[in-house]
Amino acid sequence: MKKIIGLHASRPEALQRDAPCWQAVCRHEDLIPDAGVAVRAFGERIAVFMTEAGLFAIDHVDPFCGVAVLARGIVGELGGRPVVASPMYKQHFFLDTGECLEDVGVRVRCWLARVDEEGVLRLSRPTDRVLGEPDHGT
């Protein structure tokens, strides 16, 4: 098994919590268009979605029932934004921000996702970035 090392592991000051550390989770070709795939990274369960709008990763656990099911939800679009509908109680979560459409006080974390030059999907720790804010980390 190949050991995954963070991008800046050779610089000790970069090992701080804020430094990006990318963990391999699967191959890009393993993703199914407009469907979710459940993966593990950093000891967490994460739902990854490949849509026409892009690649998204959110927490896999539905905050309303506490069960890891969001990767099994129905992927679609509401108001021009990509969403997933939970298979449990049917709440919609925006894939770009993690916000719940039906209850604005509830959200799931969004994880940074990228595909490297070898076609491996890598995730980094969640962000609190809000839609429309500039992403200076990538």
Side-chain angles (χ1 to χ4, degrees), residues 5-138:
I5 300 173
L7 288 177
H8 305 288
S10 61
R11 295 186 358 235
E13 69 277 4
L15 294 177
Q16 299 170 2
R17 186 156 172 42
D18 294 339
C21 179
W22 297 89
Q23 188 172 354
V25 294
C26 67
R27 299 203 48 81
H28 185 255
E29 62 199 30
D30 296 332
L31 300 177
I32 301 165
D34 297 319
V37 173
V39 300
R40 270 198 176 276
F42 304 99
E44 302 276 350
R45 295 173 286 189
I46 303 161
V48 178
F49 302 90
M50 182 176 60
T51 72
E52 287 184 16
L55 187 62
F56 301 95
I58 62 172
D59 285 336
H60 184 36
V61 176
D62 181 327
F64 290 96
C65 66
V67 179
V69 294
L70 290 182
R72 297 182 193 151
I74 297 172
V75 178
E77 195 175 280
L78 289 173
R81 293 174 59 195
V83 297
V84 63
S86 173
M88 294 300 286
Y89 302 123
K90 312 305 183 236
Q91 286 92 352
H92 296 85
F93 295 91
F94 289 111
L95 294 177
D96 54 359
T97 63
E99 295 170 290
C100 177
L101 179 66
E102 289 80 14
D103 187 340
V104 295
V106 176
R107 70 182 324 150
V108 291
R109 294 177 297 176
C110 293
W111 295 72
L112 298 174
R114 72 174 191 191
V115 177
D116 68 17
E117 62 279 349
E118 296 170 357
V120 176
L121 173 66
R122 296 180 182 272
L123 298 179
S124 189
R125 296 196 182 277
T127 69
D128 291 326
R129 185 169 53 112
V130 176
L131 183 67
E133 286 184 359
D135 183 4
H136 299 292
T138 56

